[in-house]
Amino acid sequence: MAVNLKSVNHRYRYQPLPTTVNHRNRITSSFNEFTINEEFKNSIKSSRLAKSITQLMNTYIEKQQSLIKKDLFQSDNQNAVALSNSLLEKPVTSPKKNISKIWREIHGENDWEGVLDPLDENVRREILKYGEFSQASYDSFDFDSFSEYCGSCLFSKKKFFEKLGLEKHGYDVSRYIYAMSQYEIPRWLEKSYVAEEDTWSKDSNWMGFVCVSGDIESERIGRRDVVVVWRGTVLPSEWYEDMQRDLEPLGHGEATVERGFLSIYKSKRLSTRYNKTSASEQVMAEVKRLVRVYKEKGEEVSLTITGHSLGGALALLNAYEASMMFPSLPISVISFGAPRVGNIAFRDELHHKGVKALRVTIKQDLVPRMPGIVFNETLQKFDDLTGSLDWVYHHVGAELKLDVRASPFLKRGSNFFGIHLPETYLHLVDGYVSSTTGFRPDAKRDVALVNKYCDMLVNELRIPPCWYQLSNKGLVSNEFGRMVRPKRDPEDIPSPIEEENSDF
Amino acid sequence: MAVNLKSVNHRYRYQPLPTTVNHRNRITSSFNEFTINEEFKNSIKSSRLAKSITQLMNTYIEKQQSLIKKDLFQSDNQNAVALSNSLLEKPVTSPKKNISKIWREIHGENDWEGVLDPLDENVRREILKYGEFSQASYDSFDFDSFSEYCGSCLFSKKKFFEKLGLEKHGYDVSRYIYAMSQYEIPRWLEKSYVAEEDTWSKDSNWMGFVCVSGDIESERIGRRDVVVVWRGTVLPSEWYEDMQRDLEPLGHGEATVERGFLSIYKSKRLSTRYNKTSASEQVMAEVKRLVRVYKEKGEEVSLTITGHSLGGALALLNAYEASMMFPSLPISVISFGAPRVGNIAFRDELHHKGVKALRVTIKQDLVPRMPGIVFNETLQKFDDLTGSLDWVYHHVGAELKLDVRASPFLKRGSNFFGIHLPETYLHLVDGYVSSTTGFRPDAKRDVALVNKYCDMLVNELRIPPCWYQLSNKGLVSNEFGRMVRPKRDPEDIPSPIEEENSDF
């Protein structure tokens, strides 16, 4: 019988499958179409980010290839394991120092001259603090398309830092920021699948928060520190094309900035729940209020604006506006993996208004070079004629340039998504000593955090990739044993009224 | 300046991106190569299954296309929502009935004549019980490649049913089954990334368990029910090619079965920790022991063998062997979405030995038709000549044929991965009334379970896809605030010695 079948089946045998490698590709790409896309539609945190960044990478695929080759050098992973094990029994933070006498330098008064290379330990601590605020804007964002609160913050202002384990920094959230856009910007706005009338807002996303240092932290850092944190999200590559076409004027001078950024920063519509006023108006009103409150108390006040990726771009627009409203206020921008925002005039005006900007970048992260890659090529041409190229490499303000290859814990290769994530930035800042030395042996941040949304840690560390997740995606068993989505605590339900009267 | 740039950039403009749809494909496929593959390597439960099933689908891509078209009919999702809401406050099980007088019919004595269409409520309950045992073999399997216990069972025998919420069935696990294969079978064996000397076993996987009904359940079902549960896993499509080429003889007659199945069932090697004896020997020894124990007590004993997908195939091999060792023992096989195993002679011998087999299948699930699709085409030719095709459609034993379209809760279309999963089977069995009527309105199982590892539920139900997951992938914060993988409880660490002396 078997014999019989053999001969007969031969006539009906389908094409043999290709070799393992091609095969694997076929599996995954087809898996993709059949399964993953479904999951994408329902947006797990990391995949939403990944989609955009990868699309962005698509646009620069040739450049990637060359980078991949450059990056193949491998670290000694066994050392990483030993190092990591030696850290397991150590606290994740180092003792805080009083910087009340030197805060102005740390805040960039001298454009961080001489404190970045080698990196001053107090500067490192402050960069990490603001970086953790930026990271918090990802960890607290509701990406669940099946939630009626998709696109809002998961926690109320009062619980925010507690829920994210960031009380240690001694700040209090005073107001949430909401943004919309006049344009249909691809994959920017997170939208709920729930029927529109049942969602908290169909037009706006939670876009960040304003917080202020408490008395104890203010004592340590020598002033009342008002901080604006802009939520980051990776940008679709169309934007970088726009960026060269659609520069819009800002202010009264020559300054022009990318239309998409400006739209998110400035858009409002009376018919919406959260953007009857623009993100810009919400933030400026709150900063104005806080500055007045503390100035009246005779306190010294500073403004620090921070953000990752898109958040870093919005931070610069915010700083530009703030510098006009508060000419005498010390204003600093600490951005992580931020793209360029505007033209030379924009950079110059920021400079002249005394805005201090520190751009933290990773050499292998392409986003800070968007649209710089094109910009540069363009101006390289100019340069051959004019010979003035400085600004291209200086961007706006000072730069702390990190290198993935400095860390023994990180995989080599071309994980452009992972390289861009804020936890990767924080890990490298924590380990940065100087441009010429390796990873800081007494770096204390938990290395495992790097893999929250990606797969950047060497396998030998045995930290699973993309581990940051809720048990059963937040479903809980009700009294009848049925898995249900729990209702939000009343105080955690976003409400425009709440935002109106910032009771602080 | 902007103008200037425009003109200049034009020379450096990269290719415009394609239209949204192609675009999306480009995103995901490229996302795939850069990011997902990494995750695959680290095997999340669902992706491992999905890779194989999708690969399998690859092979039958044309057939899929035609199916997709057929399946586009949509159910009224709002009804599903109303129905689901009405269930939220209801228990997930119905009261148990005493079947001690009718257990033989339920166990297939009359080949389930007249109890499947319409489906007898007691038969449904028993099918669901064995189906939940099969599902348990997925939920308890350690898929974590970063765990030194990858490929083992997460829980000890004593805790097994408790951990999985299946104590309600009143069975006790008496022995675990381990299997290996003589051949390098693509993507069958789950292997740990941890250095080999540190892993519990590099050769074997936990392949299922033997359990037996406790006194109370035995009272209700009228006999001592010894159950063998074979863990399922979706098979790479190469197997289905093999299946037609590499049929190996079994027993002394004409019976031949697929080489890959037989290898997993029969392989052993003295140098291994868990397969000094084969899965076959482990199971037969334990069944023999249990049958003797209870026969000596003068009890009536039955043997029920169950499994999903590959597990269903192994169940048939197991039943074939058991029927030779225990000629007088009532033996039944309840399989879910199982592929074909052998030739006609194999089927006939099982039949003549009195093995009762109930094959639960889903019309849209392609796996039960593997390699049937080719088989059938082949024999269709025969048929045109011989006119005897019955067995092709009868497979081995009786069939309970389900239809995805019967459930108002399930998405239409072509999620071949989701359609094959055991929870989808259990959902459809729970709702099955007859081949001519719709979904049972008083079906009580929690609908949300369907989305454990897939995306089959209509979005309106707002159950996230693939929700079955541990908080932070099992990482916990140690006393220093570092995320670490907790050690297993000593009694949950697999040990061959444990398995040797089944103290039951």
Side-chain angles (χ1 to χ4, degrees):
Chain A
M1 181 60 197
V3 182
N4 201 340
L5 273 177
K6 266 192 230 163
S7 57
V8 182
N9 286 347
H10 204 72
R11 301 212 312 277
Y12 299 88
R13 174 82 52 76
Y14 36 75
Q15 290 305 312
L17 297 161
T19 69
T20 320
V21 180
N22 307 344
H23 202 174
R24 190 170 294 271
N25 293 344
R26 273 183 63 195
I27 296 162
T28 46
S29 64
S30 145
F31 170 51
N32 220 8
E33 284 142 37
F34 285 113
T35 315
I36 280 276
N37 279 345
E38 279 308 304
E39 282 193 50
F40 278 176
K41 281 208 264 86
N42 306 310
S43 81
I44 26 174
K45 290 190 177 91
S46 52
S47 72
R48 272 301 171 96
L49 282 164
K51 273 164 65 185
S52 301
I53 187 70
T54 311
Q55 171 190 10
L56 182 157
M57 291 316 147
N58 257 322
T59 321
Y60 291 92
I61 198 75
E62 291 81 12
K63 292 203 181 291
Q64 287 170 35
Q65 295 317 325
S66 61
L67 275 174
I68 293 167
K69 290 185 193 64
K70 269 205 250 98
D71 268 37
L72 279 179
F73 161 74
Q74 279 294 340
S75 67
D76 178 356
N77 296 349
Q78 286 317 316
N79 284 356
V81 176
L83 193 49
S84 148
N85 290 340
S86 73
L87 289 170
L88 286 181
E89 308 293 283
K90 294 205 179 110
V92 290
T93 51
S94 34
K96 291 182 177 181
K97 294 195 175 150
N98 184 300
I99 57 169
S100 56
K101 297 279 171 299
I102 51 169
W103 75 266
R104 290 181 173 280
E105 293 86 295
I106 296 174
H107 204 243
E109 185 179 43
N110 309 327
D111 300 301
W112 294 277
E113 286 295 336
V115 296
L116 296 182
D117 191 5
L119 181 60
D120 175 88
E121 63 172 347
N122 293 307
V123 174
R124 179 191 294 114
R125 165 177 285 285
E126 294 306 295
I127 292 173
L128 288 175
K129 179 174 76 183
Y130 298 118
E132 288 181 352
F133 288 163
S134 295
Q135 174 64 46
S137 69
Y138 286 96
D139 297 341
S140 60
F141 189 70
D142 189 342
F143 285 89
D144 178 2
S145 308
F146 285 142
S147 159
E148 62 263 53
Y149 307 115
C150 178
S152 75
C153 181
L154 290 164
F155 317 115
S156 66
K157 294 197 296 265
K158 289 189 178 51
K159 286 195 197 161
F160 187 83
F161 284 131
E162 174 200 338
K163 289 281 190 179
L164 294 160
L166 295 176
E167 286 168 306
K168 63 185 179 186
H169 292 313
Y171 283 65
D172 303 293
V173 176
S174 81
R175 187 186 172 113
Y176 280 168
I177 311 166
Y178 296 88
M180 62 176 287
S181 172
Q182 286 162 282
Y183 312 108
E184 257 315 316
I185 297 169
R187 263 181 309 292
W188 167 68
L189 193 75
E190 298 288 338
K191 281 190 172 179
S192 174
Y193 281 5
V194 183
E196 284 191 350
E197 60 275 12
D198 302 336
T199 59
W200 68 283
S201 167
K202 65 180 194 300
D203 316 284
S204 308
N205 269 190
W206 179 76
M207 207 58 207
F209 57 94
V210 181
C211 64
V212 60
S213 55
D215 296 346
I216 296 162
E217 176 70 354
S218 299
E219 180 102 17
R220 183 184 79 84
I221 62 177
R223 86 283 187 184
R224 189 69 64 169
D225 186 28
V226 175
V227 180
V228 181
V229 181
W230 291 92
R231 181 170 65 83
T233 179
V234 177
L235 301 169
S237 54
E238 290 92 331
W239 283 39
Y240 300 107
E241 224 180 329
D242 292 351
M243 204 173 277
Q244 298 145 56
R245 277 201 307 264
D246 304 321
L247 287 157
E248 285 193 5
L250 184 74
H252 313 298
E254 284 288 296
T256 59
V257 295
E258 199 276 320
R259 186 190 70 165
F261 297 140
L262 199 59
S263 172
I264 292 176
Y265 185 66
K266 286 285 188 190
S267 294
K268 59 179 172 179
R269 196 184 306 130
L270 272 175
S271 61
T272 65
R273 286 188 77 198
Y274 285 84
N275 281 108
K276 299 188 190 308
T277 61
S278 68
S280 150
E281 289 166 334
Q282 291 167 32
V283 168
M284 293 314 293
E286 183 64 5
V287 171
K288 193 172 186 176
R289 187 179 71 80
L290 290 170
V291 170
R292 194 179 62 246
V293 166
Y294 294 107
K295 287 280 188 196
E296 279 170 2
K297 291 184 182 172
E299 293 187 26
E300 193 141 30
V301 183
S302 72
L303 176 61
T304 312
I305 311 175
T306 187
H308 165 262
S309 200
L310 165 66
L314 296 173
L316 276 184
L317 295 180
N318 188 185
Y320 182 94
E321 191 175 17
S323 65
M324 301 210 268
M325 190 180 280
F326 313 104
S328 64
L329 190 70
I331 301 174
S332 293
V333 174
I334 315 281
S335 71
F336 301 84
R340 295 170 190 229
V341 179
N343 63 357
I344 297 179
F346 174 68
R347 177 199 64 123
D348 291 343
E349 284 191 43
L350 278 168
H351 183 69
H352 296 137
K353 293 192 165 73
V355 171
K356 303 302 185 180
L358 175 60
R359 299 173 46 255
V360 184
T361 64
I362 295 177
K363 191 177 160 213
Q364 294 82 0
D365 183 3
L366 292 175
V367 176
R369 294 152 63 190
M370 310 289 172
I373 290 170
V374 180
F375 258 67
N376 292 1
E377 284 166 352
T378 313
L379 289 148
Q380 195 69 50
K381 296 286 166 197
F382 272 112
D383 186 47
D384 301 345
L385 311 170
T386 69
S388 71
L389 239 185
D390 292 5
W391 76 269
V392 174
Y393 298 107
H394 280 112
H395 263 260
V396 176
E399 179 176 22
L400 174 61
K401 194 167 195 169
L402 309 165
D403 188 331
V404 168
R405 288 169 294 192
S407 167
F409 303 105
L410 301 184
K411 280 181 180 154
R412 299 295 171 254
S414 57
N415 184 341
F416 296 100
F417 170 58
I419 288 169
H420 180 61
L421 292 182
E423 284 290 2
T424 307
Y425 273 83
L426 295 176
H427 170 70
L428 291 174
V429 169
D430 189 39
Y432 185 82
V433 179
S434 79
S435 56
T436 55
T437 54
F439 204 77
R440 187 168 68 115
D442 57 340
K444 292 202 173 52
R445 283 192 101 243
D446 186 3
V447 172
L449 294 173
V450 172
N451 265 10
K452 258 182 179 176
Y453 304 115
C454 65
D455 183 15
M456 283 292 286
L457 293 171
V458 296
N459 289 343
E460 289 81 351
L461 296 177
R462 296 175 48 203
I463 301 297
C466 310
W467 59 259
Y468 192 76
Q469 62 182 33
L470 291 171
S471 169
N472 295 335
K473 293 197 174 174
L475 297 183
V476 294
S477 176
N478 74 5
E479 58 178 312
F480 301 99
R482 295 183 181 272
M483 300 303 287
V484 295
R485 176 179 281 98
K487 291 262 151 276
R488 269 200 199 187
D489 298 344
E491 72 264 38
D492 286 346
I493 293 173
S495 134
I497 295 86
E498 248 292 294
E499 295 308 321
E500 283 319 308
N501 36 46
S502 272
D503 47 2
F504 191 77
Chain B
M1 181 59 195
V3 183
N4 201 342
L5 274 178
K6 265 194 234 163
S7 57
V8 182
N9 285 349
H10 205 70
R11 299 211 313 276
Y12 299 88
R13 174 79 53 76
Y14 37 76
Q15 289 306 309
L17 298 163
T19 69
T20 319
V21 179
N22 308 343
H23 202 174
R24 191 169 293 273
N25 292 346
R26 275 184 61 194
I27 296 164
T28 46
S29 64
S30 144
F31 170 51
N32 219 9
E33 284 141 37
F34 285 115
T35 314
I36 281 276
N37 279 347
E38 279 308 301
E39 282 192 51
F40 278 175
K41 282 208 264 90
N42 304 311
S43 83
I44 27 178
K45 289 189 177 95
S46 52
S47 73
R48 272 301 171 97
L49 283 164
K51 272 163 65 182
S52 300
I53 186 69
T54 311
Q55 170 189 8
L56 182 157
M57 290 317 145
N58 257 321
T59 321
Y60 291 94
I61 197 77
E62 291 81 13
K63 292 204 181 291
Q64 287 170 36
Q65 296 316 327
S66 61
L67 276 174
I68 293 167
K69 288 184 194 65
K70 270 206 249 96
D71 269 35
L72 280 178
F73 160 76
Q74 279 294 338
S75 66
D76 178 356
N77 296 349
Q78 287 317 317
N79 284 356
V81 175
L83 192 49
S84 146
N85 290 339
S86 73
L87 288 170
L88 286 181
E89 308 293 286
K90 295 208 179 103
V92 290
T93 51
S94 35
K96 291 182 178 181
K97 295 194 175 150
N98 184 302
I99 56 170
S100 56
K101 297 279 172 295
I102 51 170
W103 76 266
R104 290 180 175 280
E105 293 86 296
I106 296 172
H107 205 244
E109 185 179 45
N110 310 329
D111 299 303
W112 292 279
E113 286 296 335
V115 295
L116 296 182
D117 191 5
L119 181 60
D120 174 89
E121 63 171 346
N122 293 307
V123 174
R124 180 191 291 114
R125 164 176 287 284
E126 294 307 294
I127 293 174
L128 287 174
K129 179 174 74 181
Y130 298 119
E132 288 182 351
F133 288 163
S134 294
Q135 174 64 46
S137 70
Y138 286 95
D139 297 342
S140 61
F141 190 71
D142 188 343
F143 285 90
D144 178 2
S145 307
F146 286 141
S147 158
E148 61 264 54
Y149 306 115
C150 179
S152 74
C153 180
L154 291 164
F155 317 116
S156 66
K157 293 197 296 263
K158 287 187 181 50
K159 285 195 200 162
F160 187 83
F161 284 130
E162 174 200 338
K163 290 279 190 179
L164 295 159
L166 295 176
E167 286 167 307
K168 62 184 180 188
H169 291 314
Y171 282 65
D172 302 293
V173 176
S174 80
R175 186 185 172 112
Y176 280 169
I177 311 167
Y178 296 87
M180 61 176 287
S181 173
Q182 287 162 281
Y183 313 109
E184 258 315 319
I185 296 169
R187 264 180 309 293
W188 166 70
L189 193 74
E190 298 287 338
K191 280 192 172 177
S192 173
Y193 281 8
V194 182
E196 283 192 350
E197 60 275 11
D198 303 336
T199 61
W200 69 283
S201 166
K202 66 179 195 298
D203 316 284
S204 308
N205 270 189
W206 178 77
M207 206 60 206
F209 57 95
V210 181
C211 64
V212 59
S213 55
D215 296 343
I216 296 162
E217 176 70 355
S218 300
E219 181 101 18
R220 184 185 76 85
I221 62 178
R223 86 283 189 185
R224 189 68 64 171
D225 187 28
V226 176
V227 180
V228 182
V229 180
W230 291 93
R231 181 171 64 85
T233 179
V234 177
L235 301 169
S237 53
E238 290 93 331
W239 283 38
Y240 300 107
E241 224 179 328
D242 292 350
M243 205 174 275
Q244 299 145 55
R245 275 202 308 263
D246 304 320
L247 287 157
E248 286 193 4
L250 184 73
H252 312 297
E254 283 287 296
T256 59
V257 294
E258 201 275 320
R259 186 188 70 164
F261 297 140
L262 199 58
S263 172
I264 292 177
Y265 185 67
K266 286 284 189 190
S267 294
K268 58 179 172 178
R269 197 184 304 130
L270 271 175
S271 60
T272 65
R273 288 189 75 198
Y274 285 85
N275 282 108
K276 300 187 191 310
T277 60
S278 67
S280 151
E281 289 165 335
Q282 292 167 29
V283 168
M284 294 313 294
E286 183 64 5
V287 171
K288 194 172 184 175
R289 187 180 71 78
L290 292 170
V291 170
R292 195 180 59 247
V293 166
Y294 294 108
K295 285 282 187 194
E296 281 169 2
K297 291 184 183 172
E299 293 187 27
E300 193 142 29
V301 183
S302 72
L303 176 61
T304 312
I305 311 174
T306 187
H308 166 262
S309 200
L310 166 66
L314 297 173
L316 277 183
L317 296 179
N318 189 184
Y320 182 93
E321 192 175 18
S323 65
M324 300 209 269
M325 191 181 279
F326 313 104
S328 63
L329 191 69
I331 302 174
S332 292
V333 174
I334 315 280
S335 71
F336 301 84
R340 297 171 189 228
V341 178
N343 62 357
I344 296 178
F346 174 68
R347 177 200 63 122
D348 292 342
E349 285 190 43
L350 278 168
H351 183 68
H352 295 137
K353 292 191 166 74
V355 171
K356 303 302 184 180
L358 175 60
R359 300 173 45 256
V360 184
T361 64
I362 294 176
K363 192 178 160 209
Q364 294 83 1
D365 183 3
L366 292 177
V367 176
R369 293 152 63 190
M370 307 292 170
I373 289 170
V374 180
F375 259 67
N376 293 0
E377 283 166 351
T378 314
L379 289 149
Q380 194 69 50
K381 297 287 169 198
F382 272 113
D383 187 46
D384 301 346
L385 310 170
T386 68
S388 68
L389 240 184
D390 292 3
W391 77 269
V392 175
Y393 298 107
H394 280 114
H395 263 259
V396 175
E399 178 176 23
L400 174 62
K401 196 167 193 170
L402 309 165
D403 188 331
V404 168
R405 287 169 296 193
S407 166
F409 303 105
L410 301 183
K411 280 181 180 153
R412 299 293 171 254
S414 56
N415 184 341
F416 297 99
F417 170 58
I419 287 168
H420 181 61
L421 292 183
E423 285 290 2
T424 308
Y425 272 82
L426 295 175
H427 170 69
L428 291 174
V429 169
D430 190 38
Y432 185 80
V433 180
S434 80
S435 55
T436 55
T437 52
F439 204 78
R440 188 169 66 115
D442 58 339
K444 293 203 172 55
R445 284 192 101 244
D446 185 5
V447 172
L449 295 172
V450 172
N451 263 10
K452 258 182 177 177
Y453 303 113
C454 65
D455 183 14
M456 282 292 286
L457 294 172
V458 295
N459 289 343
E460 288 81 352
L461 295 177
R462 295 175 48 203
I463 301 298
C466 309
W467 58 259
Y468 192 76
Q469 61 181 33
L470 291 171
S471 169
N472 295 335
K473 293 195 174 176
L475 297 182
V476 294
S477 176
N478 74 4
E479 56 178 315
F480 302 100
R482 295 182 181 273
M483 300 303 288
V484 296
R485 177 178 281 98
K487 291 264 152 273
R488 269 201 200 185
D489 298 344
E491 71 265 36
D492 286 346
I493 293 173
S495 135
I497 296 84
E498 249 292 294
E499 294 310 320
E500 283 319 307
N501 36 45
S502 273
D503 47 1
F504 190 82

